Amino acid sequence: MQIIADTHTHTISSGHAYSTVTENAKAAKEAGLTYMCVTDHASTMPGSPHHWHFVNQRVIPDVLEGVRICRGVEANIMDEAGNLDMPLYVYLHLDWVNASLHEPVFRPDSESVHTTAIVNTIRNGIADAIGHPGNPSFPIDIEVVVKAAAKQGIALELNNSSFNGSRAGSESICGEIALLAKQYGALITTGSDAHFANDIGRFDSVRALIKKVGLSPDQIITSNEGLFLEYVQKRQNQRQEIIKSLMD
């Protein structure tokens, strides 16, 4: 199955990644991608930039190296209420928002606490995808999370980096997420979680899991350009409506 977008990439701005946007775009082109989401860590992650950095992504060209650039962020889930870690207006004009639990920001707790935090993030509607939900540091009630994502139409990420050392023990959890996503019709997105350009568009482990589970291409929003663009536009409209209502 083809994958046309990498929805989880980091640049030197994340503080612990090592390539530029241009270097990542070159790697995306070499990997045969059509779209690349720039999703540096949001401001509460140690070493990450001030939220003005994300507002100013408007200076990034729409196309680099022939690859369409989606201006985005990997936001931090801050609490059980599913609050994210930048002012609401910052998210208004972003193309893509990953929301993730990270140990330096959200202290690992119980399965119930993690599940509540992710479900409320899904329901809040600002995030387009939940990043690396298979992280074993944050055990969840997988069925509850998948059902919530399916109901709200929010994508769950299959994160290639999680299979390759960054989150040891993720494989079986991601496998269960994929199986339940197939059962309940939840949407899936694909992220390399690259912190160096060589990993942009690397989806070998994710492809293997998709094939093993037999996920339909219709559930993989990055499987074709039309599906991806439809999802991004729909989510942008919904996010803007939600944020404007909260800011009024």
Side-chain angles (χ1 to χ4, degrees), residues 39 49 79 92 110 126 150 155 165 194 203-204 209-210:
T39 56
D79 50 37
L92 261 179
S110 66
I126 294 174
F203 299 123
D204 48 336
L209 179 58
I210 290 171

Side-chain angles (χ1 to χ4, degrees), residues 32-235:
L33 298 178
T34 307
Y35 293 87
M36 183 185 77
C37 300
V38 180
T39 56
D40 284 308
H41 287 289
S43 305
T44 57
M45 178 68 88
S48 295
H50 189 274
H51 64 261
W52 290 349
H53 170 87
F54 299 95
V55 175
N56 201 45
Q57 283 186 91
R58 60 179 177 268
V59 304
I60 300 174
D62 293 336
V63 179
L64 283 172
E65 302 294 328
V67 176
R68 294 298 300 268
I69 303 300
C70 297
R71 301 163 181 86
V73 65
E74 183 179 16
N76 295 286
I77 301 171
M78 300 298 294
D79 50 37
E80 283 188 81
N83 291 309
L84 304 182
D85 63 331
M86 295 193 298
L88 285 174
Y89 80 89
V90 179
Y91 298 102
L92 261 179
H93 302 294
L94 293 180
D95 301 313
W96 188 265
V97 178
N98 288 325
S100 308
L101 291 171
H102 290 112
E103 291 89 332
V105 179
F106 192 115
R107 185 181 179 89
D109 204 305
S110 66
E111 178 182 294
S112 175
V113 167
H114 306 152
T115 301
T116 300
I118 291 179
V119 168
N120 282 333
T121 301
I122 290 169
R123 290 173 177 167
N124 289 347
I126 294 174
D128 299 308
I130 300 299
H132 43 73
N135 186 350
S137 295
F138 296 99
I140 56 173
D141 185 321
I142 299 172
E143 187 166 21
V144 169
V145 168
V146 172
K147 281 184 174 181
K151 181 178 180 179
Q152 298 296 130
I154 301 299
L156 297 172
E157 179 191 63
L158 292 181
N159 182 295
N160 203 78
S161 176
S162 293
F163 293 88
N164 294 281
S166 66
R167 298 174 194 88
S170 293
E171 291 87 348
S172 61
I173 305 171
C174 292
E176 189 171 350
I177 289 171
L179 282 168
L180 287 171
K182 180 181 180 181
Q183 179 180 343
Y184 292 112
L187 299 173
I188 294 292
T189 190
T190 54
S192 67
D193 201 356
H195 285 64
F196 190 69
N198 290 12
D199 288 326
I200 298 289
R202 181 183 173 190
F203 299 123
D204 48 336
S205 298
V206 166
R207 288 179 192 275
L209 179 58
I210 290 171
K211 183 177 180 180
K212 178 181 178 181
V213 171
L215 283 166
S216 167
D218 292 340
Q219 286 182 256
I220 315 295
I221 63 169
T222 52
S223 65
N224 70 75
E225 186 171 2
L227 196 61
F228 183 67
L229 287 177
E230 180 183 6
Y231 182 81
V232 169
Q233 188 60 63
K234 179 179 179 180
R235 288 293 310 128

Side-chain angles (χ1 to χ4, degrees), residues 9-21 24 38 40 53 194:
T9 73
H10 294 279
T11 77
I12 54 174
S13 296
S14 283
H16 56 275
Y18 301 93
S19 303
T20 66
V21 176
N24 284 353
V38 180
D40 284 308
H53 170 87

